[in-house]
Amino acid sequence: SLQLRVPSPSESASLTPQIESVLRSIKAADKGQLAVSEEDGRFLRVLVATRGAKSIVEIGAASGYSGIWLGLGAREWGGRVVAMEYNPQRGKEAAANIKRAGLDDVVRVVHGDAFAEIPKLQGSFDFVFLDAWKPDYKKFFDMVFPRMNPGAVFTAHNVVNKKSEMEPFLKTIQSHPSLFTTVVSPSGEGMSVSYRIK
């Protein structure tokens, strides 16, 4: 009889043991629960890869967990991620974790205030992931939107569990004439996904 072997989730997702080990160690050390869930990370990877995003910006890198998932998606199309982290210690951790995961050729960590660092970036953006201070979401959106290409995707984290902290942002993305937006909840924290039409 024919024996079918079902691949383990890590095989089917083509995560190397090294990357899995780094992801596990970030989660184990994440006492403040700053990292996205694994489900949200996988979702980001799929979004970036299916969009074929070349120029990706992450605002709020924490210790690099989501940056690794974004980098895995970006690698499919030769894309690049700039991951910004305000906290110097977490920024160092993010850079070290991304290097350990073998993604430092794809993901560059920038330490500093994203409001000051975003204007220094060259070119336009295909994909933005926002997971920073929630009351600042609308200010960040207003800053990056003019630099988003048609067809770009803007994603933001915690839009369900911290909805009350970002009402102006949610109102903006849901009524913007150049976007269509949906809110999904792979893990219960919620993520908005907005597509730039023109």
Side-chain angles (χ1 to χ4, degrees), residues 5 87 96 125 190:
R5 192 179 75 81
N87 180 287
F125 313 137

Side-chain angles (χ1 to χ4, degrees), residues 106-134:
V106 180
V107 183
R108 176 169 67 94
V109 178
V110 173
H111 310 169
D113 182 347
F115 287 116
E117 297 299 330
I118 289 168
K120 298 177 189 173
L121 297 178
Q122 300 296 306
S124 53
F125 313 137
D126 296 322
F127 194 98
V128 178
F129 176 54
L130 175 57
D131 190 12
W133 178 243
K134 310 312 166 193

Side-chain angles (χ1 to χ4, degrees), residues 8-17 19-20 42 45 72 76:
S8 73
S10 63
E11 286 175 309
S12 61
S14 69
L15 293 180
T16 65
I19 292 172
E20 286 196 322
R42 288 178 181 276
R45 179 187 185 182
L72 289 167
E76 298 298 316

Side-chain angles (χ1 to χ4, degrees), residues 14-196:
S14 69
L15 293 180
T16 65
Q18 177 65 19
I19 292 172
E20 286 196 322
S21 167
V22 174
L23 289 169
R24 273 196 307 272
S25 72
I26 296 171
K27 278 293 192 187
D30 185 26
K31 304 300 177 224
Q33 295 187 310
L34 296 172
V36 302
S37 67
E38 182 178 339
E39 294 89 346
D40 289 349
R42 288 178 181 276
F43 181 67
L44 285 169
R45 179 187 185 182
V46 170
L47 280 181
V48 169
T50 54
R51 170 59 186 81
K54 300 278 194 197
S55 173
I56 300 131
V57 178
E58 177 182 32
I59 305 167
S63 297
Y65 190 84
S66 48
I68 290 170
W69 290 107
L70 290 165
L72 289 167
R75 184 172 267 173
E76 298 298 316
W77 295 92
R80 294 283 179 272
V81 181
V82 177
M84 303 192 170
E85 176 51 47
Y86 182 76
N87 180 287
Q89 180 57 39
R90 285 199 296 267
K92 281 185 192 143
E93 289 169 14
N97 287 328
I98 286 160
K99 188 174 178 66
R100 280 173 51 222
L103 285 160
D104 51 328
D105 59 326
V106 180
V107 183
R108 176 169 67 94
V109 178
V110 173
H111 310 169
D113 182 347
F115 287 116
E117 297 299 330
I118 289 168
K120 298 177 189 173
L121 297 178
Q122 300 296 306
S124 53
F125 313 137
D126 296 322
F127 194 98
V128 178
F129 176 54
L130 175 57
D131 190 12
W133 178 243
K134 310 312 166 193
D136 282 343
Y137 270 29
K138 184 174 184 304
K139 281 196 279 188
F140 279 122
F141 173 80
D142 290 344
M143 177 178 250
V144 299
F145 178 78
R147 297 183 59 186
M148 286 169 54
N149 294 316
V153 176
F154 185 99
T155 54
H157 201 241
N158 302 113
V159 300
V160 171
N161 68 335
K162 297 188 177 176
K163 181 179 181 179
S164 63
E165 298 177 38
M166 59 181 81
E167 291 289 355
F169 164 73
L170 291 171
K171 189 182 253 182
T172 297
I173 61 168
Q174 287 165 342
S175 61
H176 200 290
S178 295
L179 293 177
F180 57 83
T181 295
T182 189
V183 171
V184 295
S185 209
S187 69
E189 294 171 325
M191 204 178 298
S192 62
V193 181
S194 302
Y195 176 89
R196 179 163 189 173

